[in-house]
């Protein structure tokens, strides 16, 4: 692959060519959602203009083409995360729905009163609330592994908490609030040594680093399409085929059945068993195009580019008096979250916004984590494949002015 040239890459993103309030857009909110390359927009339009029909039911050419492209998108996702079999890829709406699917199907079916689900203190609400719902329904217990002040998982404590009562582990790969990259390989190894399955929330990882679910030996791996430069409304659950075969359906309806009478229903094999109703066909096509785009640049190149920017940004922000970086893990990705003494993070975000710098401020759907850190919220800049040094310079310059 050719070396990564950010200026060339930026030209692939129409939105980056448009001024906002008369200024060039400095987009530092990729952790919330990534901008879309023209390849994604074009392929979705092309598909709807030339190949669109509902899938699976058709006997005519267009529906067969549409079905073939939907299946091809599934294959593309499987290759992207190195799943051994495309039947291990279930399309859902987003990472949130993915975790809900696993909690509702695997959790409801296999977990019993008194069983523990082990998560961490840095989870997104999407990896907390579904387990709380399951707790209400089934009487399971939710246990939380602690983190250090730097925002790293306390691995000794994690290991100690892996008792006989733990029947499921669900952890974030990369923290959206801290940027911490968790040692998921080690987590899986420790859990599997005790026969415990592991779900990894890869929402903030899949866009930044190569992911290999077989190498990780993950039981479940979930992420959202909109954060890997694809459209909204499409997400992915990877699950080992043996789990998908054993799990009951999550929702019932068309496309997930093979035979229905009023007395009983035979379900389709996975992954169709978990895709009730007309799926987000266009979204899946767009996600496939996004993955093709990202893969053409190369995740390793993207990772190198972003790591250099993270180091650069960390240095610049450290020099700003009164600014404190939140999240200083040794293994870190793409997130520059901070607080400034005496200034409300929301005000910082709004002031940056007026200067054309798009960042996010708040609890970032990690309120328990904010509680642990003793702060109500942070301002968060996040890096994507199109981020430049100039973007980081603009952030630092504006922050100095705001102070
Ligand atoms: N987990 C993490 C770590 C996230 O960053 C996000 C998105 N902020 C989610 C889960 C949920 O993603 P979505 O809103 O696309 O379902």
């Amino acid at each position: 692959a050719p070396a990564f040239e950010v200026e060339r890459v930026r030209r692939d993103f129409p939105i980056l060519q448009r001024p906002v309030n008369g200024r060039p857009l400095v987009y530092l909110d990729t952790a919330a959602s990534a901008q879309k390359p023209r390849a994604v927009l074009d392929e979705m339009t092309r598909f709807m203009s030339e190949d669109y029909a509902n899938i699976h039911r058709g006997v005519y050419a267009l529906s067969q083409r549409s079905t073939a492209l939907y299946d091809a998108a599934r294959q593309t996702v499987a290759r992207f995360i190195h799943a051994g079999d495309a039947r291990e890829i279930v399309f859902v709406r987003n990472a949130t729905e993915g975790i809900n699917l696993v909690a509702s199907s695997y959790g409801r079916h296999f977990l019993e009163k008194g069983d523990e689900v082990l998560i961490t203190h840095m989870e997104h609400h999407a990896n907390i609330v579904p387990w709380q719902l399951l707790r209400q329904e089934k009487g399971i217990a939710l246990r939380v592994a602690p983190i250090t002040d730097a925002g790293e998982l306390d691995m000794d404590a994690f290991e100690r908490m892996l008792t006989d009562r733990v029947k499921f582990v669900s952890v974030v790969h990369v923290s959206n609030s801290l940027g911490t990259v968790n040692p998921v390989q080690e987590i899986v190894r420790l859990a599997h040594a005790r026969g415990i399955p592991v779900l990894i929330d890869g929402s903030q990882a899949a866009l930044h680093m190569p992911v290999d679910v077989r190498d990780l030996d993950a039981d479940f791996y979930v992420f959202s399409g909109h954060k890997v430069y694809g459209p909204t409304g499409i997400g992915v659950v990877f699950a080992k085929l043996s789990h998908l075969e054993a799990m009951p359906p999550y929702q019932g309806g068309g496309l997930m059945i093979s035979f229905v009478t009023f007395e009983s229903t035979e379900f389709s094999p996975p992954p169709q068993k978990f895709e009730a109703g007309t799926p987000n066909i266009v979204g899946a096509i767009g996600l496939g195009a996004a993955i093709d785009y990202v893969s053409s640049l190369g995740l390793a190149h993207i990772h190198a580019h972003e790591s250099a920017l993270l180091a650069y940004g960390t240095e610049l922000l450290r020099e700003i008096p009164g600014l404190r970086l939140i999240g200083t893990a040794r293994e870190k990705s793409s997130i520059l979250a901070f607080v400034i003494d005496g200034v409300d993070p929301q005000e910082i975000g709004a002031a940056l916004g007026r200067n054309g710098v798009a960042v996010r401020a708040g609890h970032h759907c990690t309120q328990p984590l904010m509680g642990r850190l003793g702060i109500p919220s942070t301002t968060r800049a996040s890096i994507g494949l199109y981020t430049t040094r100039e973007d980081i310079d603009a952030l630092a310059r504006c922050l100095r002015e705001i102070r």
Side-chain angles (χ1 to χ4, degrees), residues 173-240:
H173 192 167
V174 175
S175 157
N176 63 306
S177 294
L178 304 166
T180 305
V181 182
N182 280 316
V184 282
Q185 188 128 33
E186 176 69 359
I187 288 170
V188 171
R189 195 184 65 75
L190 291 170
H192 282 183
R194 293 157 179 83
I196 307 166
V198 180
L199 180 150
I200 301 172
D201 171 4
S203 302
Q204 298 291 345
L207 69 159
H208 295 302
M209 57 192 70
V211 170
D212 186 327
V213 291
R214 262 183 307 175
D215 190 41
L216 291 172
D217 200 22
D219 293 277
F220 302 93
Y221 196 97
V222 304
F223 64 97
S224 287
H226 69 95
K227 296 197 208 228
V228 294
Y229 305 93
T232 52
I234 187 82
V236 170
V237 174
F238 158 85
K240 286 183 178 170

Side-chain angles (χ1 to χ4, degrees), residues 88-393:
E88 298 180 311
I89 303 299
V90 178
F91 282 127
V92 289
R93 276 192 301 136
N94 48 35
T96 302
E97 187 174 55
I99 299 172
N100 276 278
L101 186 159
V102 177
S104 302
S105 171
Y106 186 99
R108 201 180 277 159
H109 193 69
F110 290 113
L111 302 185
E112 289 166 8
K113 188 175 166 59
D115 287 349
E116 293 179 1
V117 172
L118 180 58
I119 62 171
T120 80
H121 217 132
M122 67 176 92
E123 298 308 319
H124 189 279
H125 296 164
N127 196 25
I128 301 173
V129 183
W131 304 113
Q132 291 175 329
L133 294 176
L134 191 66
R135 178 170 65 191
Q136 259 166 30
E137 190 184 317
K138 300 270 306 193
I140 60 150
L142 191 55
R143 304 271 281 141
V144 182
I147 60 168
T148 66
D149 290 338
E152 291 176 331
L153 186 57
D154 178 341
M155 284 302 286
D156 291 335
F158 176 83
E159 195 172 354
R160 276 198 305 278
M161 293 178 79
L162 276 180
T163 63
D164 289 348
R165 292 184 301 279
V166 176
K167 295 294 187 288
F168 201 87
V169 169
S170 196
V171 296
V172 72
H173 192 167
V174 175
S175 157
N176 63 306
S177 294
L178 304 166
T180 305
V181 182
N182 280 316
V184 282
Q185 188 128 33
E186 176 69 359
I187 288 170
V188 171
R189 195 184 65 75
L190 291 170
H192 282 183
R194 293 157 179 83
I196 307 166
V198 180
L199 180 150
I200 301 172
D201 171 4
S203 302
Q204 298 291 345
L207 69 159
H208 295 302
M209 57 192 70
V211 170
D212 186 327
V213 291
R214 262 183 307 175
D215 190 41
L216 291 172
D217 200 22
D219 293 277
F220 302 93
Y221 196 97
V222 304
F223 64 97
S224 287
H226 69 95
K227 296 197 208 228
V228 294
Y229 305 93
T232 52
I234 187 82
V236 170
V237 174
F238 158 85
K240 286 183 178 170
L241 199 56
S242 55
H243 289 314
L244 289 182
E245 279 166 348
M247 285 159 58
Y250 167 53
Q251 294 171 334
L255 294 178
M256 53 77 75
I257 54 83
S258 58
F259 191 74
V260 177
T261 66
F262 284 120
E263 286 68 42
S264 70
T265 289
E266 263 171 47
F267 304 124
S268 305
Q272 281 78 25
K273 184 166 70 171
F274 298 98
E275 294 182 7
T278 301
N280 186 351
I281 306 168
V282 180
I285 301 303
L287 174 57
I291 290 174
D292 284 341
Y293 176 80
V294 168
S295 304
S296 76
L297 299 176
L299 258 302
H301 286 131
I302 292 169
H303 186 250
H305 169 72
E306 293 176 345
S307 299
L309 285 175
L310 180 66
Y312 180 66
T314 303
E315 239 170 74
L316 279 196
L317 294 199
R318 273 212 179 111
E319 284 163 11
I320 297 175
L323 183 148
R324 181 158 62 93
L325 280 170
I326 303 298
T328 51
R330 283 157 299 180
E331 290 290 328
K332 208 185 144 172
S333 163
S334 63
I335 302 285
L336 288 164
F338 54 86
V339 293
I340 297 181
D341 291 340
V343 197
D344 177 6
Q346 297 282 351
E347 302 228 336
I348 300 171
L352 288 169
R354 286 192 292 276
N355 286 282
V357 180
V359 300
R360 193 148 294 246
H363 53 64
H364 315 290
C365 300
T366 53
Q367 281 187 313
L369 171 63
M370 294 296 132
R372 162 66 180 81
L373 300 171
I375 48 176
S377 61
T378 67
T379 311
R380 179 189 73 185
S382 55
I383 293 167
L385 60 83
Y386 35 57
T387 306
T388 60
R389 280 186 166 237
E390 289 71 34
D391 291 338
I392 307 281
D393 289 339

Side-chain angles (χ1 to χ4, degrees), residues 68-82:
L69 287 167
Y70 183 73
D71 292 343
R74 196 190 304 279
Q75 298 274 0
T76 300
V77 172
R79 275 195 308 276
F80 181 57
I81 57 172
H82 299 92

